Every structure is written in C-alpha cells, then in structure tokens.
Amino acid sequence: MAKRKAPPAEAAPAPAKAARKEAGGKRRAPQDDEGPSTSGGGAVAAAHTVSGFKNKEKVLLLSSRGITYRFRHLMLDLGQLLPHGKKDAKLDTKSERGVINEVADMKGCTSVLYFEARKHKDLYLWVAKAPQGPSVKFHVTNVHTLEELKLSGNHLRGSRPVLSFDKNFDESPHLQLLKEMLTQVFAVPKRHHKSKPFFDHVTAFSVTDGRIWLRNYQVLPDPDKKRAAAGEGLTLVEVGPRACLQPIKMFAGSFGGPVIYENQEYVSPNTIRSMIKRQQQGKYVSKVQSRQDRKLHVAAHPLPRDELGDVFK
Amino acid sequence: MAMQREQAARGAAAAAAAGSDGEEEEEGGSEQGGAAPAQRQAIYNVEVIHDKLEDISWSEEAAWEESLALTRAAPTAVANPENDLERELAFYNQALDAAQTAIARFEAAGLAWQRPADYYAEMVKSDEHMQKVKEQLLYEKQQIEASDMRKKEREAKKFSKQVAAERKKERAQDKKQAITSISKLRKQREKSGFAGELDVDAELERMEGGGRGGGGRGGRQQQHKPGERFAPRDKSAKREQRDSKFGFGGPKRNRKQNDASSAADGGAAAAEAAAGVAAGAAAGAVEGAAALAVVTAAIAAALVAAAVADVAAAGAAAAGAAAMEGAAQAVFAAAA
C-alpha cells in the first residue's frame, strides 16, 4: 500500500519541495516531464530516482442509493476496467460519508470511487485516497457506457492500460494533484492476479473547457509486424465508457476536511433547473404585467373625440 | 415584483455557491481578500495542495512500468469545445500519441506488447455484444448504399429517354454502315471478276482499316444483351409514331407534373427536356427548315393581326395562339 514512502527515498522529497516552491508552484520544469513524444526512456530515468516501489493500490467502488441504470452501468464498466477494484454494497446515507473510510479500511482499499446519485438525475463522483488522502468531488455528465453500439472497440478484460494525460494537467497545482490521484486509481498494478499481459488499450484524460474528459480506446496495431513495431499504421477504436467530469471541490481529508480547492465556474444542476423554471415563470408574469400596463395606459391616454365619429350610424 | 424575484434568485444562487453541500470550510486560502459574502473568492489553497501531493505521490518516483502514465508534450487545444467532431479528434490524437510513445518504449525495453492471434481470453465486451455491434454497422452500411442507389436511379430515369434516343441513332448508323460496306465489297469482287475465296470478315476489316469490329453483322440482326430472349428489332418510323401515341397507355398528357423529385431539382429537368427537344428539332430539321421559316412567319403575322384586334376579344386571340402552338408542335414532330 502506498501510504508511506520507503525510507531511502525520503531524502528526495525535501529538495524537491524546495525546488517546487522556487519554481513558483509548478510541479517540475518542462524538460523533466515524463512522457515526451520524441525521446526514449533513458534520459527520463536519469532525471528522478527510480525506487523499487511496487504499485499495490486497490480501489473501492460503491454507489449511493437511488442510482439509476445509466450510472450503475458506468460504475460496473469502470469496475471492468479496474481489475484491482472491489465492489461494495450501496451506501444508505448521503450525509454521513465518513463511513466510507471504514468500509475501505475493512476491505483493505487505498482508493475509493464513490458514485453519489441525487434526485435520480445527477451523478456526482468522489475520488478519494482512503485513510487520510485528499478527495475530489466531480459532477459527471455525458455518460456513455460499454453497451453503446457506436463504441465498437473491445479489449482484454484486465489488461494494463497506458494512461494518457493532457499537458494541461501540469499547468495548475490542483490539476497536478488530480493527475496523481487519477493515475493511482486507473493504473492497473503490474503483478495483479487478474491483470492480463499485453498492451491493448489507452485511457485518455484531457482538460477542456474546465472539465476532465475520460475516454478509453482500443489499440489496433498494423497487421504487419515490422510496421507495428515502428508504430506506424496504428489505429484506435473507442471502447468506452465515456464521461465528462467537472471538479466541484477538493478536500484535504477523505470525504471531509477543509476545502483546498473550489471551482468558481461550477453551477449546480439544481441552480440551472431553477433558473430555467424562473424563465418559464417570467413569461406568464410578464404577460400579466403587460396587460395591466395596457389598461393603465388606455386609462391615462383617452382617445380625442372624433368629429366625424357619428357620421355613419 | 419581477425585479424582486430576480434579485432573490441571484442571492439564492450566491448563497448556494457559498454554502454548498454543507461541508466545512476554512478561509485559510492564499488568495483571499476581505470580500463580501455574495462575491466571495473561491478557495484555492496551493500550499496544502502541494503538501497533499507530496504525501500521496509515488507515480513520478516509481518506474514507468508501474503506472504506465504518459503526459503529452503539447497541450490538447480545442478551439470550440461545443464542436463534437473537433473535440473528439483532439482526444483521439492525444491518445494516439501516447500509444505510439508507449509502443516505442516497449520495443526499446524488449517487452512483448502485441497480443498473439491465438491468445484467447475474456474480453470486456462479450461475443454476443460484438455480434450486435457488427450487425448495426452492416445495417448502417446497407442504408447508405440503398439511399445512394435510389438517388442514382432517380438521376438515371431523367436521362433514360436521351440515352434511348442516342442508342437508336447509333444502331441506325451501324446498320447503314454495314450495308454500304457489303455493297462495296460486292462491287470490288465484281470488278476483279470473283477471283479467289471469299472471306467476308477479313475483306471488310481490310476495307475499314480495322476500324469497326462489327462489320460482320449486317442487316436487321442486332446484338442483344445476354439474358434477353428476343433481339430488339428496328422499328419503322410509322411504328414508332404509333407507339409514342398509343403504346403503354399513350403519352403522359394529363399526368401529375409536380411531384417530390421535380420540386427537388427546381425545374432543371424540365429545362433540359425542352433543350433536348429543341436540339433534336434543330439537328434533324434541315429539310423542314424552310417550312419552319414559313410557319414562323405565319405565326408572327397572326400575332400581329391578333394585336390589332380588340382588347375584349383577347379570349379569341388566346384560342388562336393555342391553335398556332399546336401547329408548331406538329411541325417539330414531323421534322424530328
């Protein structure tokens, strides 16, 4: 479990933190970045210490009561993507979320994906690191599940994905934290007993319009072995599921604790619905108002008497 | 009253944003001013974010093979997020880039990453589901093909008359050419006194210089398409005229003219038909040109006479015009 860093590596974070502070809050300088499209792995490995760390994350998947079919299928589909995930029964309460930490402890999970459904209409996704870690609440929209016939790809169940992150994730501190949390949740551990050996699919996270877009693609290499090895003729077919996550708030603790980030552009779906209703309401109110105004206007401005008015009786 | 309600709504929205979800809040932010509650700054505590990141982070320090996470060198820029195609294309390109980088790294490390063709294992989607997907794709393809075929047929119907007329002309020409070539051959042999063996095909080819391959056919025999029982025979002019007048229910005089397809091309077909008729008349009416000139003059004279007549007798003039039109049509038909 990745709760504590291994002792030999502890010396590394202190200068790293100082370097980060110097760099004005950015995570690391651009040339230290992990996945440049041009260079190979050699130069990158020299830039940071490679500890003997082993990924042993486990993810707890659970939902609240009142979840509908589409969101339930999304949860199950994500469960299929994560062989290191464990499903649990529905959570009864929506107010006491701290219980989830205990459930995670019982199951031995380090991360939690909690699908909170409200009003049978809105889905909120909590991504949390179980005992003490930070947690994020997302508003989920544009959900497409694996059942969609238009998403025609397929891949091995449990194969380890390559996670593709947008460069925008390195631009702000809260996105850096989100990137780390998403990596820890979605990266399948190497020696997991349910994982499959080959490289089959790519899970992509992009930041656009203040939201995080999740896409999952199957990798189809060229049938010709030599071209496939060179990486030419590679095609991707979308497998699903698809979702659009808008971060609402980030908390220092797991399902509680002080707020460390708040999204200014977030408008809750309730507010949107009430605004729409008010607009509709406004139509009737303005109609009544205009009728009254007309009456007043007619009363205040009587027509002048027409001299020829009674010529034709 | 409407104004009050709007203000209330705005206040409610601000209050909702301020105290949403009932979570605890600390004003320990680094970007915090002494703002009024309605316009409070959103919390963004960079210090604590970095601390938390340090606490949990292992993916940067561990080997790449543990997380397989790649970050693209350039940001994924989408100009208009509402444009679905553009946005999905940007995501696709990002994923493709990552896949190519990953393959390069796997190859460099010598890891086997390609799934062999005989490796059977459980997939994320079941075989039944993939069958449904395949059927859906085939169905869509069929729909597209069917609609294309329908469009092509509609277009072809307009040109079928033209095509038929051209084919008839071609057949007449072939027949004429065949007859003349045979008679020439006969005359040649007469001159040379019927010497030697007669090999019709070779002689004809020699005469035409190998131009036309169908010189062997002659007379009324026509080539017909395989599958047709009877060869199409040439019809006499009289037969064709009768056919056009009475054959297959007669000409479409009072049929509906305005239907979906004619409305769709807005008079283009009608213009073409008129042009075709005019062209046909011009092409075949060399003999009738003189007669045409006479008739045109007659029409002009009649129009002048009509113009001179009384305004009240416009009806009679109109009837006269219709009669003249009928005469003109008869001339065209005879000339064609």
Side-chain angles (χ1 to χ4, degrees):
Chain A
M1 304 211 197
K3 281 191 212 173
R4 298 273 179 271
K5 286 203 184 23
E10 226 154 49
K17 181 173 178 178
R20 243 177 263 136
K21 286 218 161 105
E22 243 177 63
K26 284 209 189 263
R27 185 75 206 283
R28 51 179 70 239
Q31 52 266 27
D32 275 8
D33 208 0
E34 212 179 43
S37 314
T38 49
S39 72
V44 181
H48 54 262
T49 56
V50 178
S51 57
F53 177 79
K54 293 198 176 126
N55 179 5
K56 290 195 182 128
E57 301 278 339
K58 287 201 194 55
V59 182
L60 179 69
L61 289 163
L62 73 160
S63 76
S64 70
R65 262 179 60 202
I67 196 166
T68 47
Y69 60 98
R70 191 175 277 273
F71 304 143
R72 193 178 62 243
H73 275 112
L74 175 67
M75 184 178 83
L76 297 175
D77 292 343
L78 285 179
Q80 284 202 328
L81 286 188
L82 309 174
H84 57 300
K86 290 188 181 164
K87 290 199 250 293
D88 201 46
K90 287 185 192 168
L91 193 71
D92 255 357
T93 66
K94 289 185 185 149
S95 45
E96 298 166 18
R97 285 186 215 102
V99 178
I100 300 179
N101 292 321
E102 291 165 20
V103 177
D105 188 33
M106 276 199 306
K107 293 229 153 181
C109 292
T110 56
S111 314
V112 180
L113 283 180
Y114 172 50
F115 293 81
E116 181 181 358
R118 289 200 162 254
K119 291 190 167 184
H120 298 281
K121 280 185 231 178
D122 312 318
L123 181 68
Y124 298 96
L125 171 65
W126 290 81
V127 180
K129 295 296 294 172
Q132 316 147 348
S135 48
V136 196
K137 183 177 183 187
F138 292 108
H139 175 49
V140 184
T141 47
N142 296 11
V143 172
H144 295 262
T145 60
L146 287 175
E147 289 287 320
E148 300 256 337
L149 291 180
K150 301 236 179 206
L151 305 176
S152 46
N154 201 358
H155 66 262
L156 282 174
R157 185 169 178 173
S159 69
R160 301 184 64 214
V162 165
L163 304 175
S164 162
F165 287 98
D166 195 357
K167 177 77 176 149
N168 290 326
F169 275 101
D170 285 344
E171 302 297 326
S172 349
H174 74 281
L175 287 175
Q176 291 169 7
L177 181 55
L178 274 178
K179 174 180 163 183
E180 184 61 34
M181 290 172 74
L182 290 171
T183 309
Q184 294 187 7
V185 167
F186 283 90
V188 176
K190 195 167 172 187
R191 291 153 217 83
H192 199 265
H193 59 279
K194 286 193 204 164
S195 70
K196 299 283 186 313
F198 305 107
F199 169 46
D200 232 349
H201 70 292
V202 178
T203 306
F205 300 90
S206 320
V207 176
T208 304
D209 194 26
R211 293 167 167 84
I212 298 178
W213 304 75
L214 165 72
R215 298 281 183 270
N216 192 18
Y217 299 95
Q218 176 193 8
V219 168
L220 284 172
D222 202 305
D224 176 25
K225 291 274 174 149
K226 268 176 40 183
R227 286 196 73 204
E232 302 158 15
L234 194 67
T235 48
L236 300 177
V237 185
E238 186 153 4
V239 174
R242 260 194 194 185
C244 172
L245 312 170
Q246 187 180 24
I248 304 173
K249 275 188 180 179
M250 289 175 73
F251 305 95
S254 167
F255 296 102
V259 177
I260 54 181
Y261 167 74
E262 214 181 305
N263 187 359
Q264 249 174 340
E265 286 132 32
Y266 171 68
V267 179
S268 91
N270 289 328
T271 317
I272 295 178
R273 284 191 281 258
S274 83
M275 278 195 228
I276 291 175
K277 281 209 190 122
R278 255 173 249 280
Q279 266 183 355
Q280 310 284 27
Q281 201 183 53
K283 276 197 266 181
Y284 176 70
V285 166
S286 69
K287 208 196 305 183
V288 167
Q289 188 68 28
S290 70
R291 228 185 281 150
Q292 286 176 350
D293 288 344
R294 177 73 191 159
K295 271 201 198 137
L296 291 173
H297 178 85
V298 164
H301 304 91
L303 283 174
R305 198 187 161 283
D306 191 6
E307 294 93 32
L308 304 173
D310 46 356
V311 168
F312 299 105
K313 283 247 175 61
Chain B
M1 195 166 80
M3 287 291 291
Q4 285 173 15
R5 276 202 206 166
E6 276 177 24
Q7 274 174 4
R10 235 179 280 132
S20 55
D21 306 318
E23 307 289 0
E24 304 170 28
E25 285 171 12
E26 244 180 44
E27 310 279 64
S30 45
E31 309 167 8
Q32 199 66 16
Q39 293 161 354
R40 187 177 61 79
Q41 285 274 8
I43 296 175
Y44 200 153
N45 200 338
V46 183
E47 289 276 331
V48 180
I49 289 176
H50 278 312
D51 285 339
K52 283 289 168 184
L53 181 54
E54 234 179 77
D55 281 344
I56 64 165
S57 155
W58 56 255
S59 67
E60 300 275 334
E61 285 80 28
W64 179 69
E65 282 81 18
E66 293 294 324
S67 63
L68 293 181
L70 290 172
T71 309
R72 204 177 187 198
T76 306
V78 180
N80 178 18
E82 306 290 331
N83 183 353
D84 291 343
L85 194 59
E86 183 191 340
R87 193 185 65 221
E88 296 300 323
L89 195 64
F91 298 158
Y92 178 93
N93 286 331
Q94 179 195 325
L96 190 67
D97 192 45
Q100 281 169 340
T101 313
I103 287 176
R105 285 173 92 141
F106 287 140
E107 291 289 328
L111 299 167
W113 59 271
Q114 272 190 345
R115 193 174 84 214
D118 54 355
Y119 184 90
Y120 290 118
E122 191 182 359
M123 308 287 266
V124 144
K125 298 185 189 175
S126 66
D127 283 341
E128 293 86 27
H129 186 266
M130 293 317 288
Q131 183 68 26
K132 269 194 259 178
V133 168
K134 186 169 153 190
E135 276 171 18
Q136 176 74 11
L137 287 172
L138 279 174
Y139 173 73
E140 280 172 14
K141 190 169 154 204
Q142 256 176 16
Q143 294 293 93
I144 292 171
E145 275 174 13
S147 81
D148 277 344
M149 192 92 76
R150 258 179 266 136
K151 252 183 254 171
K152 250 188 268 177
E153 272 173 21
R154 234 187 293 140
E155 298 292 324
K157 228 171 45 163
K158 286 180 206 146
F159 298 119
S160 69
K161 273 201 175 166
Q162 251 188 10
V163 166
E166 278 187 31
R167 247 192 298 136
K168 194 165 51 90
K169 250 194 294 171
E170 209 178 299
R171 246 185 276 143
Q173 254 188 348
D174 273 350
K175 176 173 142 190
K176 196 170 167 187
Q177 215 250 350
I179 290 174
T180 51
S181 64
I182 294 266
S183 58
K184 248 201 278 182
L185 177 61
R186 190 166 43 82
K187 287 205 183 93
Q188 265 185 4
R189 291 195 55 84
E190 258 180 14
K191 252 196 282 182
S192 65
F194 296 106
E197 269 202 17
L198 172 59
D199 185 7
V200 190
D201 299 311
E203 298 289 319
L204 284 171
E205 265 197 47
R206 211 162 37 80
M207 273 203 310
E208 295 161 28
R212 293 284 214 85
R217 284 182 283 122
R220 324 262 307 190
Q221 267 185 315
Q222 301 282 334
Q223 241 187 6
H224 60 91
K225 297 186 202 125
E228 280 186 358
R229 274 201 211 139
F230 308 109
R233 275 190 224 149
D234 275 342
K235 297 185 186 173
S236 66
K238 179 178 164 191
R239 178 76 260 149
E240 270 167 4
Q241 199 232 345
R242 294 287 179 119
D243 270 355
S244 74
K245 214 170 163 200
F246 307 109
F248 294 111
K252 290 111 187 130
R253 233 175 242 126
N254 296 322
R255 278 232 198 130
K256 279 194 260 191
Q257 293 159 349
N258 212 9
D259 60 356
S261 55
S262 84
D265 41 65
E272 276 222 42
V277 165
V286 178
E287 320 87 53
L292 198 58
V294 167
V295 171
T296 325
I299 290 175
L303 279 175
V304 165
V308 163
D310 199 42
V311 174
M324 277 183 276
E325 233 185 79
Q329 267 188 357
V331 170
F332 283 141

